[in-house]
Amino acid sequence: MSYDTINFQYQIKKLPYHFKVLKNEPYLWRGLSWQPVINNQGYLSYYYTYINNLKLVLKYDKIYLKNSLQKFYMNNNYQSFSYSQVVKAFERLNKLLPFNVYEAIVTKVAIGIVFEENAEKTYGEWLYYQGKSPMQMQDKNKVYGAKFHLTDYYIKGYNKTFQVKSKDNFSLNKPYFRYEIEAKTKFFNNKTNNIGIENVADLINEEKYNKLCNMLIDRYKMIQTTTIIDYSECNLKEKKLIAYMENPIIKKSVQNQHTESFKKDRITYNKLVKVKSNNNFQNIILNKITNQVNYSLKN
């Protein structure tokens, strides 16, 4: 499992005078060249600088940092990224920042894995997640993935080979699939997940890292995929239930007009599919996700 996009912030206690008076000039601070940005009204809005791919923005007395931690450390975000490498990445970053990175407040983070697989077939079998249909992910008028948009988080699956070629102009020469969860910290800290991600130090806490890995697996299991069912083993009532739950128009109608019945039917349907379905391809995908997560934990 890797931390890809990270967003965190830190309040500077002793701000240099140059920033306090908002001088419209570049300023060298802690080995970093900070550039001023002027807004449309002609006032200085903020300063910014880069550490490799990571963008740092200084606004008033707060520094905001975002972009891919894995790219910062490995110059790419398509290889395996282990727990020990995550620890080393933050150690390296801490030496370059003008503050203690482990005390920074995490606001958003993306966790995920990449493995060799046919991306279109994988996300193409996604039907629903918590009652929501997937949205298309597009780049340059090409559909390259699917995502579920929920309160405070996204679940994404996409063609990593295409994305790397499109954004970095680099050919991987093999079909790679990326599965990730991108979320605000409130998602990781809700009653269901209860992981406790507040600051960067929590991201390298072994127990919490383990919980994040398990959540990545568990959430994939919650994605409803194309079912392959031997209908000869189903009775008439079960066949009718499957037929209406897999017809999006009828399903939506029942959900809107018969809410309580729909809730009961969905529970029955999920249990039925779990027992009757046999999607070997998605079982292979889940095994690959589990293997990648285990590699990250053990290395």
Side-chain angles (χ1 to χ4, degrees):
M1 186 199 80
S2 71
Y3 294 123
D4 191 25
T5 303
I6 53 173
N7 290 56
F8 55 75
Q9 62 186 48
Y10 184 88
Q11 186 169 21
I12 301 297
K13 298 175 180 64
K14 293 182 179 180
L15 197 66
Y17 179 77
H18 182 96
F19 299 133
K20 288 182 179 179
V21 297
L22 301 176
K23 283 191 176 182
N24 185 16
E25 299 173 0
Y27 185 69
L28 188 64
W29 179 44
R30 301 290 180 89
L32 299 170
S33 179
W34 297 81
Q35 305 296 319
V37 174
I38 306 300
N39 62 25
N40 294 332
Q41 286 73 42
Y43 297 105
L44 196 149
S45 182
Y46 60 87
Y47 298 88
Y48 76 94
T49 190
Y50 281 91
I51 300 177
N52 294 354
N53 66 303
L54 299 176
K55 184 176 183 179
L56 284 74
V57 170
L58 173 63
K59 192 167 186 178
Y60 304 116
D61 62 346
K62 284 187 178 180
I63 292 180
Y64 303 86
L65 183 149
K66 67 177 182 179
N67 281 340
S68 171
L69 178 70
Q70 186 176 359
K71 270 193 175 182
F72 160 76
Y73 185 72
M74 301 178 67
N75 294 319
N76 73 71
N77 59 354
Y78 52 81
Q79 292 178 312
S80 296
F81 194 34
S82 67
Y83 172 74
S84 63
Q85 289 175 312
V86 168
V87 173
K88 291 176 182 177
F90 280 119
E91 287 176 351
R92 181 184 297 179
L93 182 58
N94 192 46
K95 293 176 182 177
L96 301 172
L97 289 171
F99 58 87
N100 185 338
V101 70
Y102 302 106
E103 296 177 355
I105 303 300
V106 180
T107 55
K108 184 187 290 187
V109 65
I111 60 173
I113 50 172
V114 176
F115 52 89
E116 189 175 341
E117 190 51 78
N118 183 320
E120 285 71 21
K121 179 172 174 57
T122 306
Y123 69 73
E125 293 189 355
W126 291 4
L127 296 177
Y128 305 102
Y129 172 81
Q130 294 192 351
K132 290 184 176 289
S133 300
M135 302 165 57
Q136 290 183 344
M137 295 176 64
Q138 295 187 8
D139 183 28
K140 298 177 181 177
N141 297 319
K142 175 180 171 61
V143 176
Y144 74 100
K147 65 181 178 181
F148 298 101
H149 184 191
L150 295 101
T151 305
D152 299 326
Y153 70 107
Y154 290 94
I155 290 180
K156 303 177 183 179
Y158 55 89
N159 186 329
K160 189 64 181 176
T161 302
F162 170 81
Q163 189 204 46
V164 170
K165 179 64 177 177
S166 177
K167 291 193 173 184
D168 301 328
N169 195 29
F170 182 76
S171 298
L172 296 180
N173 298 320
K174 287 184 178 180
Y176 285 99
F177 174 71
R178 165 82 175 175
Y179 160 59
E180 74 176 40
I181 298 174
E182 181 180 349
K184 297 177 182 178
T185 47
K186 63 172 67 176
F187 167 71
F188 299 118
N189 300 333
N190 63 26
K191 290 182 180 180
T192 301
N193 298 316
N194 194 28
I195 296 173
I197 303 296
E198 300 292 342
N199 51 43
V200 171
D202 294 319
L203 297 179
I204 58 170
N205 178 289
E206 286 193 61
E207 182 181 353
K208 294 179 181 181
Y209 188 87
N210 202 313
K211 287 181 179 180
L212 287 170
C213 287
N214 289 333
M215 187 190 72
L216 201 61
I217 297 171
D218 292 340
R219 291 286 165 168
Y220 195 89
K221 291 178 180 178
M222 293 171 64
I223 298 174
Q224 183 182 328
T225 58
T226 303
T227 54
I228 301 174
I229 297 174
D230 183 355
Y231 291 101
S232 65
E233 296 183 358
C234 301
N235 59 40
L236 181 59
K237 185 177 179 179
E238 290 172 338
K239 290 175 183 177
K240 288 181 177 179
L241 175 62
I242 293 170
Y244 107 65
M245 289 298 290
E246 295 191 356
N247 184 306
I249 297 175
I250 298 176
K251 180 181 177 182
K252 191 69 175 178
S253 175
V254 175
Q255 185 177 10
N256 291 338
Q257 296 179 318
H258 312 281
T259 306
E260 293 304 316
S261 295
F262 175 79
K263 289 179 181 178
K264 294 177 183 178
D265 288 346
R266 184 170 61 185
I267 293 172
T268 304
Y269 170 79
N270 289 336
K271 290 179 180 178
L272 178 64
V273 168
K274 199 169 185 179
V275 174
K276 303 285 187 179
S277 66
N278 179 24
N279 190 330
N280 290 326
F281 177 71
Q282 287 299 329
N283 291 335
I284 291 171
I285 298 300
L286 188 57
N287 285 335
K288 287 187 176 184
I289 292 172
T290 304
N291 290 339
Q292 284 290 316
V293 164
N294 288 335
Y295 169 86
S296 178
L297 288 169
K298 296 175 182 178
N299 291 276

